Amino acid sequence: MTTKEKIISTSLDLFSQFGYDGTSVRQIAREVGVRESAIYNHFSSKQEILKAIFTAYKKESSSAQLLTDDLINELVFPLNFMVNFTEKLIRQWSSKNDRQFLRLLLKEQYRVIEGKRYSVSDMLDETRSIWWMIFDELIKHKFIKEADPKDLANEFIYPLFMIRMEYLFDDSKSNTDAAMEAAQKHVQFFWRAINK
Amino acid sequence: MTTKEKIISTSLDLFSQFGYDGTSVRQIAREVGVRESAIYNHFSSKQEILKAIFTAYKKESSSAQLLTDDLINELVFPLNFMVNFTEKLIRQWSSKNDRQFLRLLLKEQYRVIEGKRYSVSDMLDETRSIWWMIFDELIKHKFIKEADPKDLANEFIYPLFMIRMEYLFDDSKSNTDAAMEAAQKHVQFFWRAINK
DNA sequence: GTCTATAAGGAGATAGAC
DNA sequence: GTCTATCTCCTTATAGAC
């Protein structure tokens, strides 16, 4: 792990706990194990560190990567498909990185970084569009009841995201099981609602 | 409006925009129209201002107060009841105060204030317990399908809260109509799922 | 790439006059 | 209750040696 990488991960850790304004460059330097001025050798300003965190997260965390080939082959069994996708999703959200990033995003989503603003809605949009497509297909092939696929996508992912907020917010890993249970309960409820 | 009240409302305004650490006492004083030291005549510290905001909000904003007598009499028509409750809820959440408080809560929910911590879950609990009771009654009287009332409560309020986060986050009032439409779509979907 | 040293200013908070 | 004045500490950021 290079110093630059250490700065990014340490900053994510501190920012997610104390917020961007609540964390000083001094604090980051101490935690990384270098002097304050050494930070400025890797980032021209504190803002640049925050920018790097958002950029890094956007790359590594995508719901699309959960859609592996063997999962997609299961689409003819919609309930199985949803159960398996949800399990993968909760597992991804349980990682320390995703928990920390969620906290950071909720705190700083209003902050303007180089003209851009990251928001919860942005984060949802990718997952939403994936499920829009999936439900569209399922309706076309008459696997589920007739409905607006866009609405179904929201009804499916909204509770999942709330479960994330309620159970997968802090650093401790102990809530993963409870989150999984709540999420699968939702899948069952949702399936009864859309099943023909 | 007394100076003390002005300090509280101005602080909520600034905290919700820039966060607690991103707002200085100096900034609050300037906006209120007094000197910095005058603030300390009303609050012994900056933290006390934040505490006062949370306390004030807890008093004035409660889902229980939406349950007026004429609404409760409508419980025998569950769909009507849900439609009307939802309309009142979205209207309450659309107020400037509720929008600002939502932003503040999401930013500062991890902060410890006198040993206590305010969280999204805390905020949900009140509404959740109300709907737990309502669905319990509806099931007993066989107005809706057999199910765990606790699960139904979550399935009902989770999407509503997500709609709040997506549409009723910033200060502009222009999203109320879109929020209302999304919320009522959810009510319809939910009703089809629980209707006998 | 990391260090020491330091600049320049903002932070929270208090003392005491009016 | 509000003012002026001030204390002390911490903040981001830079200059220049090694």
Side-chain angles (χ1 to χ4, degrees):
Chain A
M1 206 179 198
T2 64
T3 302
K4 186 161 186 169
E5 288 167 343
K6 231 187 259 175
I7 293 169
I8 291 179
S9 81
T10 302
S11 298
L12 172 57
D13 190 14
L14 294 172
F15 288 168
S16 71
Q17 281 184 71
F18 310 112
Y20 176 79
D21 289 312
T23 306
S24 66
V25 179
R26 210 158 290 186
Q27 209 174 339
I28 297 168
R30 198 189 315 126
E31 206 87 351
V32 170
V34 293
R35 297 298 164 131
E36 203 184 336
S37 55
I39 302 284
Y40 290 93
N41 195 260
H42 301 280
F43 297 94
S44 62
S45 72
K46 192 185 169 188
Q47 275 241 20
E48 289 296 312
I49 303 176
L50 185 61
K51 218 181 86 186
I53 291 173
F54 275 102
T55 308
Y57 189 82
K58 227 181 175 178
K59 258 189 202 163
E60 77 191 42
S61 162
S62 156
S63 301
Q65 73 186 28
L66 295 178
L67 293 174
T68 51
D69 283 346
D70 56 324
L71 189 57
I72 290 171
N73 287 334
E74 229 174 356
L75 244 176
V76 287
F77 307 109
L79 177 57
N80 277 354
F81 180 83
M82 291 191 291
V83 165
N84 290 336
F85 175 89
T86 301
E87 195 189 322
K88 285 188 178 186
L89 189 67
I90 296 293
R91 219 168 286 288
Q92 178 175 292
W93 283 348
S94 294
S95 71
K96 195 180 163 193
N97 233 269
D98 275 54
R99 289 177 192 245
Q100 288 184 339
F101 191 80
L102 174 66
R103 297 213 299 277
L104 178 65
L105 182 70
L106 290 179
K107 275 188 211 294
E108 310 299 341
Q109 63 178 325
Y110 234 59
R111 193 177 294 277
V112 178
I113 308 162
E114 285 200 350
K116 280 186 187 174
R117 238 190 332 203
Y118 293 82
S119 70
V120 169
S121 283
D122 289 342
M123 202 164 100
L124 281 174
D125 278 342
E126 196 218 358
T127 316
R128 187 159 25 210
S129 68
I130 289 171
W131 282 98
W132 180 87
M133 287 193 305
I134 290 172
F135 289 128
D136 197 44
E137 286 298 313
L138 291 177
I139 292 167
K140 268 186 199 151
H141 291 79
K142 311 204 173 188
F143 283 140
I144 59 173
K145 281 184 196 163
E146 194 76 37
D148 184 341
K150 184 97 180 163
D151 293 345
L152 293 186
N154 280 328
E155 290 290 337
F156 183 62
I157 65 170
Y158 275 170
L160 292 177
F161 195 83
M162 286 300 296
I163 288 165
R164 182 182 188 187
M165 282 187 61
E166 288 215 89
Y167 296 95
L168 305 174
F169 195 73
D170 55 35
D171 271 342
S172 83
K173 284 232 163 195
S174 54
N175 293 322
T176 303
D177 292 348
M180 195 69 85
E181 200 190 320
Q184 294 300 352
K185 265 188 190 169
H186 164 62
V187 171
Q188 294 299 329
F189 175 88
F190 183 76
W191 173 243
R192 280 196 295 277
I194 66 168
N195 191 14
K196 279 209 154 182
Chain B
M1 207 178 197
T2 66
T3 303
K4 188 162 185 171
E5 289 167 342
K6 229 187 260 176
I7 292 169
I8 291 178
S9 81
T10 302
S11 298
L12 172 55
D13 189 16
L14 294 172
F15 289 168
S16 71
Q17 282 184 69
F18 310 113
Y20 177 78
D21 289 313
T23 306
S24 67
V25 179
R26 217 154 285 188
Q27 207 175 339
I28 297 167
R30 199 189 313 126
E31 206 86 352
V32 170
V34 293
R35 296 299 164 132
E36 201 185 341
S37 55
I39 301 285
Y40 289 93
N41 194 259
H42 301 280
F43 297 95
S44 62
S45 72
K46 191 185 169 188
Q47 275 238 21
E48 289 296 313
I49 302 176
L50 185 61
K51 219 181 85 185
I53 292 173
F54 275 102
T55 307
Y57 188 82
K58 229 183 175 178
K59 261 191 202 160
E60 78 191 43
S61 161
S62 155
S63 300
Q65 71 185 30
L66 296 178
L67 292 174
T68 51
D69 284 344
D70 55 322
L71 189 57
I72 289 171
N73 288 333
E74 228 173 358
L75 244 177
V76 287
F77 307 109
L79 176 57
N80 277 354
F81 181 82
M82 291 192 291
V83 165
N84 290 334
F85 175 89
T86 302
E87 194 190 323
K88 285 187 178 188
L89 189 66
I90 296 294
R91 219 168 287 288
Q92 178 174 293
W93 282 349
S94 295
S95 71
K96 195 180 163 193
N97 233 269
D98 274 54
R99 289 177 192 245
Q100 288 184 337
F101 191 80
L102 174 66
R103 297 212 301 275
L104 178 66
L105 182 71
L106 290 178
K107 275 188 212 295
E108 309 299 341
Q109 66 177 323
Y110 235 58
R111 193 177 294 275
V112 179
I113 308 163
E114 285 200 349
K116 279 187 186 173
R117 240 191 328 204
Y118 293 81
S119 69
V120 169
S121 283
D122 289 343
M123 201 164 100
L124 280 174
D125 277 342
E126 196 218 358
T127 316
R128 185 157 30 208
S129 67
I130 289 172
W131 282 98
W132 179 87
M133 286 192 306
I134 290 172
F135 289 128
D136 197 43
E137 286 298 314
L138 291 177
I139 291 166
K140 268 185 199 154
H141 290 81
K142 310 205 173 188
F143 283 142
I144 60 173
K145 281 183 195 163
E146 196 75 38
D148 184 341
K150 183 97 179 158
D151 293 346
L152 293 187
N154 280 329
E155 289 290 339
F156 183 63
I157 66 171
Y158 275 170
L160 292 178
F161 195 82
M162 286 300 296
I163 288 165
R164 183 184 188 187
M165 284 187 60
E166 288 215 270
Y167 295 96
L168 304 175
F169 195 74
D170 55 35
D171 271 342
S172 80
K173 283 231 163 194
S174 54
N175 292 322
T176 303
D177 292 347
M180 195 69 85
E181 199 190 322
Q184 294 301 352
K185 264 188 189 170
H186 164 62
V187 172
Q188 294 300 330
F189 175 88
F190 183 76
W191 173 245
R192 279 195 295 275
I194 66 170
N195 191 13
K196 278 208 151 178

